C-alpha cells in the first residue's frame, strides 16, 4: 500500500476505497493531465464508469485534482499542488496549462499565473482558464 495515497485521502477527509486508491495512483504515476477516457481504460473493468465519474467529482470537490482546459471535448484532470492552497486562503487554479503539440500532453505550469482580467462594468468574474500550446522542454531537447 502506497503511504502517500493514504495520507492524501486522510488529509482531505476521505475514506480509503479501492476505486479512490486506484485512480489516485494513476495521477501520482504521471506528471501530466489525464483524460477521462484514459482513466476509464486504465482501470478497465475493475471500476465501472459511474464510479470513475463519481470519484473524479469527489476529488475535484476536495481539492485533490482540478479540471484542466483542453482544445477537445474530452475532460482532463491534473493533480493539485501545494500552490493551489497558497494566496488568499482559498483553493485556486490561476496557473497556466501547457499543451505540447508534439507529445500531446498537457501539464500544469504552477509558477506561471494567468494575468488579472478586468471585465466591463456589470460582468461578474468566476474563473479564467488559459491553455498555452507549444513544444514542451522534453520534446524540445529531444
Ligand atoms: Zn487545486
Ligand atoms: Zn512534449
Ligand atoms: Zn493545473
Amino acid at each position: 500500500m502506497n503511504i502517500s495515497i493514504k495520507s492524501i485521502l486522510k488529509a482531505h477527509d476521505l475514506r480509503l476505497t479501492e476505486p479512490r486508491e486506484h485512480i489516485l495512483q494513476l495521477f501520482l504515476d504521471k506528471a501530466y493531465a489525464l483524460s477521462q477516457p484514459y482513466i476509464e481504460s486504465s482501470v478497465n473493468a475493475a471500476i465501472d464508469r459511474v464510479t470513475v465519474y463519481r470519484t473524479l467529482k469527489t476529488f475535484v470537490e476536495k481539492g485533490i485534482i482540478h479540471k484542466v482546459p483542453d482544445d477537445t471535448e474530452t475532460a482532463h484532470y491534473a493533480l493539485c499542488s501545494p500552490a493551489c492552497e497558497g494566496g488568499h486562503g482559498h483553493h485556486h487554479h490561476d496557473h497556466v496549462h501547457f499543451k505540447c503539440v508534439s507529445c500531446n500532453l498537457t501539464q500544469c505550469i504552477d509558477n506561471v499565473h494567468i494575468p488579472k482580467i478586468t471585465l466591463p462594468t456589470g460582468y461578474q468574474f468566476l474563473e479564467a482558464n488559459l491553455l498555452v500550446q507549444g513544444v514542451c522542454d522534453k520534446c524540445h531537447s529531444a
Side-chain angles (χ1 to χ4, degrees), residues 100 102-104 135-136 138-139:
C100 175
S102 179
C103 63
N104 228 7
V135 180
C136 76
K138 286 188 191 72
C139 292

Side-chain angles (χ1 to χ4, degrees), residues 44-87:
N44 209 358
I47 308 167
D48 64 86
R49 288 188 65 179
V50 178
T51 306
V52 170
Y53 173 82
R54 281 211 204 106
T55 304
L56 291 173
K57 194 165 178 276
T58 303
F59 283 178
V60 169
E61 281 165 4
K62 291 288 185 178
I64 296 175
I65 60 173
H66 58 279
K67 233 181 154 152
V68 170
D70 195 73
D71 56 344
T72 67
E73 291 297 303
T74 318
H76 283 70
Y77 299 91
L79 210 55
C80 285
S81 79
C84 292
E85 303 288 355

Side-chain angles (χ1 to χ4, degrees), residues 39-48:
I39 296 164
E40 282 168 6
S41 67
S42 297
V43 300
N44 209 358
I47 308 167
D48 64 86

Side-chain angles (χ1 to χ4, degrees), residues 16 36 139:
L16 181 82
Q36 193 157 334
C139 292

Side-chain angles (χ1 to χ4, degrees), residues 4 6 41-42 49 62 66 80 90-92 94 99 102 124 135 141:
S4 69
K6 246 184 174 170
S41 67
S42 297
R49 288 188 65 179
K62 291 288 185 178
H66 58 279
C80 285
H90 68 280
H91 200 94
H92 59 88
D94 57 357
K99 184 171 185 174
S102 179
Q124 189 198 1
V135 180
S141 58

